[in-house]
Amino acid sequence: MLELRPNCEWCDKDLPPHADDARICSYECTYCAQCVDDVLKNVCPTCGGNFVPRPIRPAKAYHETPKLGLNNRPASITRVHSRWNRDQLARMTALLHDVAAKDR
């Protein structure tokens, strides 16, 4: 189950569970769409992978078992911040932004 991290790891923008501009990599690094496009150039600074839209977890459970939905499986409240500085991020982006995600 995804953590649904509450913020962009670069600009710290709030990304609630229903945010349609949240993007994640395969390790669940979480950034807003603007940072992914303008700063990261669709390159995760941690793993070098690409980003995809983060799914929306429905608020309510639609089945009795298992109990799902945000009411039963809440999103994380722990804010995460990128461990990379701007220079490190720029090097990773420069290295991989022209390489197709499937070829990284």
Side-chain angles (χ1 to χ4, degrees):
M1 175 176 63
L2 295 175
E3 286 181 54
L4 301 178
R5 295 177 183 171
N7 64 301
C8 174
E9 293 181 32
W10 189 253
C11 73
D12 202 34
K13 175 183 179 178
D14 289 339
L15 294 172
H18 61 276
D20 60 2
D21 65 335
R23 302 292 183 263
I24 59 173
C25 76
S26 65
Y27 289 96
E28 207 174 342
C29 297
T30 304
Y31 295 89
C32 69
Q34 184 174 355
C35 285
V36 166
D37 293 342
D38 298 343
V39 178
L40 302 169
K41 308 296 185 204
N42 201 31
V43 176
C44 176
T46 302
C47 70
N50 66 315
F51 291 94
V52 297
R54 184 181 70 188
I56 304 294
R57 183 174 301 155
K60 70 177 201 168
Y62 289 93
H63 300 284
E64 289 299 314
T65 307
K67 294 272 187 196
L68 301 176
L70 282 171
N71 294 333
N72 299 297
R73 308 285 174 108
S76 174
I77 58 170
T78 304
R79 297 183 84 81
V80 178
H81 301 281
S82 179
R83 64 179 150 189
W84 311 109
N85 65 41
R86 189 166 289 280
D87 291 338
Q88 291 168 317
L89 186 141
R91 283 194 298 275
M92 180 68 99
T93 300
L95 178 68
L96 296 172
H97 82 278
D98 287 330
V99 179
K102 66 181 182 63
D103 297 327
R104 292 184 195 164

